[in-house]
Amino acid sequence: LGLLVIFSRSGNDIIQLAIFDDTDSGGGIVLREPVMRGTSSANVPYEISATTANTQDAANALINLRDVDARFEPVGAAPGYVIEARTGLMNNETGLLNLDDGVTYRDDNGLVLVLVDLVYDTSNGTGQTQKPVSGVAPQGTLEATGLQISQTPAVYIFDRARLTIDPKAARTGK
């Protein structure tokens, strides 16, 4: 209890800081309030935190996360955004963050998406899901059967989307 643990991954300046809390029955490490900081290949700074993290393997490459909060800074014309989820799996070797429960995506322009799951690549700032997506934005609401996200620049590609535009907001340019 109280031991500082540092994980790193070469190539992306990712450092994970956490307080060692316990070991689980399988011999893995349990971390309390871990924080991972890094930059994507497009130089987008980010920070991923969780309430707890449990390692799955001896190399500490696969980490189960609970109450995930991932923050990505705005760069150029691309807005900043936050991804939250109840649970997820971070692969420290590949940079893939696999979120699979209670996923919400919010950007600085007012877009809020609720997703069943999301696989997000922290290395290149892309994400995707093939499951239903619903969302709201200042201009209206949407529903889709899937989503691809590219943050370099900010592009959202919705599969089979149904968009409902609020005429009042559209007229005032909000």
Side-chain angles (χ1 to χ4, degrees):
L1 196 59
L3 174 68
L4 181 63
V5 178
I6 300 175
F7 297 100
S8 66
R9 179 174 56 135
S10 61
N12 255 4
D13 299 323
I14 292 179
I15 298 173
Q16 184 170 359
L17 304 172
I19 298 172
F20 173 75
D21 200 24
D22 201 357
T23 57
D24 63 20
S25 59
I29 298 172
V30 179
L31 304 172
R32 183 173 21 117
E33 299 179 6
V35 177
M36 183 180 348
R37 294 179 182 94
T39 56
S40 71
S41 59
N43 293 320
V44 175
Y46 64 85
E47 178 177 294
I48 300 170
S49 61
T51 56
T52 60
N54 298 29
T55 60
Q56 278 194 352
D57 60 339
N60 297 323
L62 299 175
I63 301 175
N64 287 313
L65 303 171
R66 187 165 283 312
D67 300 324
V68 181
D69 184 16
R71 299 180 180 279
F72 298 80
E73 297 295 322
V75 173
Y81 53 102
V82 174
I83 305 171
E84 298 170 325
R86 283 190 285 277
T87 61
L89 176 69
M90 180 69 190
N91 185 323
N92 276 335
E93 290 180 351
T94 64
L96 289 179
L97 180 58
N98 189 346
L99 304 169
D100 56 10
D101 185 20
V103 182
T104 304
Y105 178 100
R106 291 180 175 85
D107 77 11
D108 291 345
N109 292 332
L111 176 66
V112 178
L113 301 174
V114 176
L115 306 103
V116 174
D117 66 6
L118 179 67
V119 176
Y120 194 84
D121 188 335
T122 61
S123 298
N124 62 25
T126 61
Q128 67 178 8
T129 183
Q130 299 302 316
K131 295 187 179 166
V133 176
S134 63
V136 296
Q139 298 86 1
T141 61
L142 67 91
E143 292 180 14
T145 60
L147 167 68
Q148 294 179 35
I149 301 170
S150 171
Q151 289 303 136
T152 331
V155 175
Y156 305 97
I157 302 169
F158 295 96
D159 298 331
R160 297 182 187 194
R162 178 180 168 179
L163 178 63
T164 304
I165 297 176
D166 177 2
K168 192 177 198 179
R171 272 194 299 272
T172 60
K174 292 183 179 180

